[in-house]
Amino acid sequence: MAADMSFRVAKHFSTCLAYLSRGVRQQRNLGKALISTQASYSRRFNETYRLGVLHKRLYSTKPNPQIQELPQPAIYTAICVERLPVVTADKSELEKRFEKLQDQLEIEHSVLCDDELTVKKLKDRKKKLTERDEDEAIEIAQIEANRKEFQEEEEEELLQFQPASRETDDEGDVRSMNRKLQHNLVLLLKRNDTSWEMPIGQIQDKESLRQAAERSLKEMCGDGMDTRFLSNAPVAVLKMSKLQPKNKNKVFFYKVHFLGGSLNLGEAYTDFAWLTRDEIQEYLVPEYYRLVRRFLH
């Protein structure tokens, strides 16, 4: 009995020693890991500090007289002034055929009008006439005579009507808005250097793009032109670097409808023209035209 108890105590004691030695090894490993982590953070801190000092030296806030400041790119607003068509465009062959079909279907499915009902009643009354119904025959003849007279008057009035010409005498004058009545016309201005462009102006301090566009339009075209801006946001933007590689300026385009009034050119321009979309291509440089044709109708 005593021997069995001694064996159990010895076994329990050896188990405790095993757990204790394992705990000591784990504590040593943990200490080594902490020391390694501390060393790693120390190296990172030293590298960060060294890079920070280098960064501070490279990007010092003190002015360097040897470094020249690069000019900031300018922002411009251009205005696409568009005169809408005055008359509807001529119908195509497909539209004419469809219109004819619609008229035929309308006649076939429509209800008889008053004049057609009158003619139908007269035919029914004629069928019922006899030799003794002289008064009825006279009344029918009078109605038919009045109807024929009315038709002749309407046909004569229709023949006297002459529609206005869809073309004007100003077709060849690009400075006139009374040309190409079936098409949209866009305003282009000519600078002293013989280049053509839409009205354009540089944005000023504390101005929004819309405000700059409105001011530029008045300066370039005068106060006598009545227009309507279609939105507060521009419809397109042109990077001038595509036209001139060293030019970093940007031009934001606004679309405007011409409502009436007169045009008075500013000092920056010498001539103007109202042109269709196809005619504009002959006046603008290719890159400029490729951009503006996207928002032209």
Side-chain angles (χ1 to χ4, degrees):
M1 184 73 177
D4 187 23
M5 181 63 69
S6 299
F7 175 76
R8 291 182 181 180
V9 171
K11 185 177 180 180
H12 180 71
F13 182 72
S14 62
T15 304
C16 291
L17 288 177
Y19 278 112
L20 182 60
S21 62
R22 185 184 300 176
V24 171
R25 286 196 303 270
Q26 291 179 352
Q27 187 174 6
R28 288 177 181 176
N29 294 336
L30 180 60
K32 291 180 181 180
L34 291 175
I35 293 173
S36 176
T37 304
Q38 184 177 4
S40 176
Y41 277 109
S42 178
R43 287 194 303 270
R44 292 183 183 179
F45 175 78
N46 293 334
E47 292 177 359
T48 305
Y49 177 77
R50 181 173 58 82
L51 291 175
V53 172
L54 179 60
H55 186 274
K56 184 177 181 181
R57 290 176 182 175
L58 292 176
Y59 298 93
S60 175
T61 57
K62 295 181 180 180
N64 189 347
Q66 298 180 355
I67 300 178
Q68 296 181 356
E69 294 185 359
L70 297 177
Q72 294 294 330
I75 297 178
Y76 293 83
T77 55
I79 304 94
C80 174
V81 183
E82 191 173 24
R83 190 220 68 185
L84 299 179
V86 179
V87 297
T88 56
D90 293 330
K91 296 178 181 178
S92 63
E93 291 298 326
L94 178 61
E95 291 175 334
K96 292 178 181 179
R97 289 163 52 192
F98 182 75
E99 183 181 22
K100 185 177 180 180
L101 175 62
Q102 289 293 101
D103 292 340
Q104 181 180 354
L105 292 175
E106 183 178 359
I107 292 175
E108 293 176 356
H109 297 87
S110 63
V111 180
L112 297 178
C113 64
D114 294 341
D115 183 64
E116 292 172 332
L117 291 174
T118 302
V119 173
K120 185 177 180 181
K121 290 179 180 179
L122 290 176
K123 289 181 179 180
D124 294 339
R125 291 171 66 179
K126 282 183 178 181
K127 292 179 180 179
K128 298 178 181 180
L129 283 178
T130 60
E131 296 179 355
R132 299 180 181 180
D133 298 332
E134 296 182 0
D135 296 338
E136 180 74 8
I138 295 174
E139 182 180 356
I140 293 175
Q142 185 66 34
I143 294 175
E144 289 180 341
N146 293 339
R147 181 176 176 274
K148 184 176 181 180
E149 182 181 358
F150 176 77
Q151 285 182 340
E152 291 176 352
E153 291 177 357
E154 291 295 324
E155 290 176 358
E156 183 178 357
E157 183 178 355
L158 180 62
L159 292 175
Q160 293 177 358
F161 173 76
Q162 295 294 332
S165 175
R166 299 175 66 85
E167 297 183 358
T168 63
D169 298 334
D170 300 335
E171 289 296 324
D173 185 9
V174 295
R175 294 169 60 93
S176 174
M177 288 180 294
N178 297 322
R179 60 184 297 267
K180 303 292 183 180
L181 302 181
Q182 304 181 36
H183 303 276
N184 292 47
L185 295 182
V186 177
L187 176 64
L188 290 186
L189 305 181
K190 183 180 181 181
R191 285 192 177 272
N192 298 329
D193 58 358
T194 69
S195 63
W196 290 84
E197 64 185 7
M198 294 180 180
I200 187 174
Q202 185 174 358
I203 191 172
Q204 296 181 357
D205 295 338
K206 297 181 180 180
E207 266 188 338
S208 65
L209 291 175
R210 167 70 180 270
Q211 292 171 345
E214 292 176 346
R215 175 185 53 78
S216 301
L217 184 60
K218 290 183 179 180
E219 292 178 355
M220 304 304 171
C221 301
D223 298 333
M225 193 164 60
D226 187 15
T227 57
R228 180 182 63 191
F229 279 76
L230 300 187
S231 67
N232 291 327
V235 296
V237 60
L238 172 64
K239 294 181 179 180
M240 296 301 295
S241 58
K242 295 184 178 180
L243 304 179
Q244 304 171 0
K246 296 182 179 181
N247 192 340
K248 303 300 181 182
N249 300 336
K250 294 182 180 180
V251 182
F252 292 86
F253 288 83
Y254 277 85
K255 202 165 185 182
V256 172
H257 282 171
F258 175 80
L259 302 179
S262 59
L263 174 65
N264 298 316
L265 280 181
E267 299 178 356
Y269 298 99
T270 59
D271 200 3
F272 67 93
W274 291 94
L275 306 169
T276 63
R277 177 176 179 176
D278 297 333
E279 295 172 339
I280 285 178
Q281 187 175 4
E282 303 175 2
Y283 288 74
L284 299 178
V285 297
E287 187 63 34
Y288 197 118
Y289 173 73
R290 278 196 293 269
L291 173 71
V292 300
R293 72 176 181 179
R294 299 176 183 175
F295 54 84
L296 294 179
H297 296 289

